[in-house]
Amino acid sequence: MGLLDGKVAIITGAGGGLGAAYAKLFAAEGAAVVVNDLGAARDGSGADASAAAQLVVDEIRAAGGRAVANGDDVSTMQGGENILKAALDNFGQVDILICNAGILRDKSFPKMTEEDWDLVVKVHLKGTYCCTLPVWKWLKENSKPGVIIMTSSTTGLYGNFGQANYGAAKGGIYSFMRVLSIEGRKSGIRVMGLAPGALTRMTADLGYPENPLRLPENIAPAVLFMASDLAADHSGKVLSVSSQGVAEVKMVQTDGFRPDKPYTAQELAGHAQSIFFGAD
Ligand SMILES: NC(=O)c1ccc[n+]([C@@H]2O[C@H](COP(=O)([O-])OP(=O)(O)OC[C@H]3O[C@@H](n4cnc5c(N)ncnc54)[C@H](O)[C@@H]3O)[C@@H](O)[C@H]2O)c1
């Protein structure tokens, strides 16, 4: 028995890297998978809609699994609707959506062009929206529970030099995930976030030391866990999954300064120790 028997999963950007690893594991665990990938270069240029996703589908089918390729662009509403249609036309339903597609255009802030900003935000943040909305509506209209996993990043949660566009998009995805997890509660739609750390073409030039726990196949079990009923009690949470292990990341607040009368900025400075976690 597989953990995803009878389920249909859409995985975006699954022609390579992390998404391909999720697709293969999900199919091996019994899910029918829509393998979406536009076939873009790392910076979002170009599109070879057929090749990458189809190769993953061929591999899944050769292993006895069920999958179909889709080459739509996640960052358009039409693309999101077509991706859902691929699931419904081929498998009749959708239970799981993994928003994973992504690109990078890293530059220090003053060197980052408006186009670099717009495209990265469009693919990640708007792409997550464009794929989620049709699935969300279908789940609600059909009174079905479901799981949506949105890919954030440590850059979006903590920040990182040279990734203003990417960090803004990934931070937005975290907040989007939080809001939808609250809106989905009544209808049994779980929404989770993921901050992965893996060796893929996206991180190939960062000089990570070799570590088998960085391979996409070794990140995929955590995503399977999040998508399966093993995590049925969890929604609205973001997991960091990397060679360092698996851990929840949370927004936290200090005890703070709690006044009982109006105060001045100068007085506040005297309470810095209880307002801040510490010096930078
Ligand atoms: N690898 C890491 O360490 C790491 C760290 C943090 C976050 N992430 C996130 O994980 C996700 C997967 O990244 P990866 O490392 O596997 O990178 P990757 O480049 O191997 O995979 C991304 C895939 O998305 C596809 N894609 C790009 N634009 C698309 C579009 N508009 N429509 C459909 N498909 C599109 C690409 O063709 C590519 O196959 C991304 O969202 C990335 O930001 C990765």
Side-chain angles (χ1 to χ4, degrees):
M1 247 189 60
L3 281 173
L4 301 181
D5 281 344
K7 306 278 188 195
V8 176
I10 293 171
I11 306 177
T12 70
L18 286 164
Y22 307 158
K24 289 179 214 168
L25 183 60
F26 279 30
E29 287 290 335
V33 183
V34 176
V35 178
N36 157 268
D37 206 296
L38 181 66
R42 190 173 86 154
D43 68 356
S45 61
D48 173 8
S50 57
Q54 189 58 51
L55 282 176
V56 175
V57 168
D58 292 345
E59 219 181 299
I60 289 172
R61 288 185 180 157
R66 294 198 300 153
V68 67
N70 167 279
D72 275 284
D73 180 348
V74 297
S75 70
T76 67
M77 217 53 242
Q78 188 63 55
E81 278 160 14
N82 290 347
I83 295 168
L84 171 64
K85 191 170 182 303
L88 300 182
D89 287 353
N90 288 280
F91 307 122
Q93 66 190 65
V94 62
D95 305 278
I96 298 164
L97 167 66
I98 315 288
C99 295
N100 166 79
I103 61 167
L104 271 190
R105 287 194 171 200
D106 293 356
K107 277 171 203 154
S108 61
F109 187 49
K111 292 193 183 131
M112 190 174 282
T113 64
E114 186 179 354
E115 194 202 344
D116 293 332
W117 177 275
D118 283 347
L119 193 62
V120 168
V121 171
K122 184 166 187 260
V123 171
H124 288 278
L125 183 55
K126 188 172 177 205
T128 299
Y129 162 76
C130 291
C131 294
T132 298
L133 184 60
V135 168
W136 190 270
K137 285 185 170 167
W138 187 87
L139 291 172
K140 299 274 284 185
E141 278 158 18
N142 291 279
S143 304
K144 298 263 193 201
V147 185
I148 298 175
I149 298 178
M150 301 183 169
T151 308
S152 184
S153 158
T154 53
T155 298
L157 302 172
Y158 299 117
N160 191 26
F161 187 93
Q163 295 196 303
N165 49 0
Y166 183 79
K170 292 301 203 185
I173 288 172
Y174 166 77
S175 308
F176 183 31
M177 179 281 289
R178 289 289 311 154
V179 171
L180 286 200
S181 71
I182 294 164
E183 290 197 21
R185 207 165 278 158
K186 253 191 1 212
S187 10
I189 305 176
R190 292 197 296 116
V191 191
M192 295 286 280
L194 169 74
L199 186 59
T200 65
R201 72 172 186 177
M202 197 173 263
T203 53
D205 50 8
L206 296 184
Y208 284 149
E210 291 220 357
N211 184 334
L213 290 177
R214 256 186 208 292
L215 296 176
E217 317 66 288
N218 295 327
I219 303 293
V223 182
L224 170 63
F225 161 73
M226 292 166 84
S228 75
D229 288 343
L230 293 173
D233 293 342
H234 300 281
S235 188
K237 299 175 182 176
V238 60
L239 294 188
S240 157
V241 183
S242 72
S243 59
Q244 306 300 304
V246 181
E248 184 180 354
V249 180
K250 245 184 146 155
M251 192 84 87
V252 288
Q253 188 174 319
T254 58
D255 287 340
F257 162 62
R258 296 166 185 269
D260 50 14
K261 59 178 173 38
Y263 50 86
T264 64
Q266 289 87 339
E267 282 164 351
L268 261 192
H271 294 276
Q273 274 191 328
S274 43
I275 293 171
F276 292 107
F277 287 107
D280 238 6

